[in-house]
Amino acid sequence: CASITASSDQLTKTFPAGTNGMLYLFPTLDGFGPGMLTFTAVPPGGCSGECVAATGSTGSAGISLVIEGVDGELPSALDVVFVVDATGSMDDEIAYLATELTSVMDRVQEAIPGVDIRVGLTVYRNPGMTLAYGLSKSISERADDLRQQRTSGGLEAMIEALDAALEMDWRGGNTARVMFV
């Protein structure tokens, strides 16, 4: 994946582009104050000659950087994490997801043959009752983990669950990373 460096007078940060070559930057959330930013795009393997650069303000609707002569590459790996609400009202939804999880991931494998897929699961109930099942190549194991869940509680600890999902061992490089909430 390409890397994009964003620089202001006070801060410089480098971000990986997605496997589709896109980067969505939210300047305020990413720590940049108001003003001008300079962006530099570097393709995988580095630049041959001058890298592509552009300048825009933090209030711009969008900036496009195109690296000529660089073709996109489909991801060789896929990490998918499901963040599931297991509070009292979710019995039917959990049963449905557990039943369909293997089927859905089988269809993904058929659509993208050869991609290395790992599936993770984070289940949340009341605060302090979040369970995280790490990324695994065994889709059926994660479906079984989901089937074993029993709903309870009513206070949703979604932020706790999202934090647990983000702490999983996501792969870098040419990997598509997807989280379903």
Side-chain angles (χ1 to χ4, degrees):
C1 298
S3 64
I4 312 295
T5 300
S7 301
S8 70
D9 291 337
Q10 296 85 23
L11 183 64
T12 297
K13 287 187 174 183
T14 300
F15 305 92
T19 56
N20 64 354
M22 301 286 292
L23 169 69
Y24 296 97
L25 177 72
F26 300 91
T28 303
L29 294 174
D30 288 317
F32 294 98
M36 296 300 288
L37 293 176
T38 301
F39 298 92
T40 305
V42 179
C47 295
S48 56
E50 194 81 17
C51 289
V52 177
T55 301
S57 77
T58 55
S60 298
I63 296 173
S64 295
L65 299 174
V66 178
I67 303 172
E68 299 294 336
V70 175
D71 292 325
E73 180 182 341
L74 289 176
S76 58
L78 170 64
D79 284 349
V80 180
V81 173
F82 293 89
V83 179
V84 179
D85 179 350
T87 56
S89 63
M90 301 302 291
D91 280 323
D92 292 340
E93 287 79 4
I94 289 174
Y96 176 77
L97 181 57
T99 300
E100 293 298 314
L101 180 65
T102 303
S103 174
V104 167
M105 296 313 296
D106 285 346
R107 287 194 302 265
V108 170
Q109 286 177 321
E110 289 171 14
I112 314 168
V115 72
D116 182 24
I117 298 176
R118 297 188 313 166
V119 177
L121 173 67
T122 302
V123 180
Y124 64 94
R125 295 175 184 82
N126 290 339
M129 296 178 65
T130 296
L131 300 172
Y133 301 88
L135 288 154
S136 170
K137 291 185 180 197
S138 175
I139 296 166
S140 62
E141 184 178 303
R142 289 299 162 259
D144 288 343
D145 292 334
L146 190 54
R147 272 187 211 89
Q148 293 172 16
Q149 299 307 308
R150 299 296 170 252
T151 59
S152 67
L155 299 174
E156 297 180 3
M158 181 183 281
I159 300 301
E160 187 177 296
L162 291 171
D163 286 342
L166 290 172
E167 291 298 319
M168 290 192 183
D169 63 333
W170 297 87
R171 291 178 283 195
N174 190 20
T175 301
R177 293 166 289 280
V178 180
M179 185 184 309
F180 291 101
V181 180

